Amino acid sequence: MPGSNQDAYFTVFAGEGVARVVALQVYSRGGGIVFERRDFPPNDPIKGWNGRWRGKPVQTGVYLWLAVVEYADGVQKHFQGNVTVVN
């Protein structure tokens, strides 16, 4: 369907200096984890979250994400933010 985001993914996009994503976690408003993936390359949408939990689309809303990335020099940094899901 044109304009549909049914196949949209949320992931970590980064520049050349980022070697890998150590962890990406997405939490519901109530604090429950709805997605977690560890040790994957950045910039690969398929490795990210597809807006589903236990195989079903999550409710429309704002979800907290936490990410740990590792740079080529071995330094790890933590990032966080919000992602809005619209069904």
Side-chain angles (χ1 to χ4, degrees), residues 23-82:
L24 174 61
Q25 300 170 319
V26 180
Y27 293 86
S28 69
R29 191 169 184 181
I33 193 162
V34 295
F35 174 82
E36 180 174 32
R37 183 169 302 246
R38 295 185 171 276
D39 196 23
F40 65 96
N43 308 319
D44 185 354
I46 301 301
K47 299 287 185 185
W49 181 47
N50 64 358
R52 294 179 169 270
W53 183 61
R54 295 186 178 170
K56 296 182 181 176
V58 296
Q59 293 182 346
T60 295
V62 178
Y63 293 79
L64 171 70
W65 62 265
L66 303 172
V68 180
V69 300
E70 184 174 284
Y71 291 86
D73 63 4
V75 172
Q76 292 186 359
K77 289 195 178 177
H78 296 251
F79 297 90
Q80 67 180 34
N82 297 309

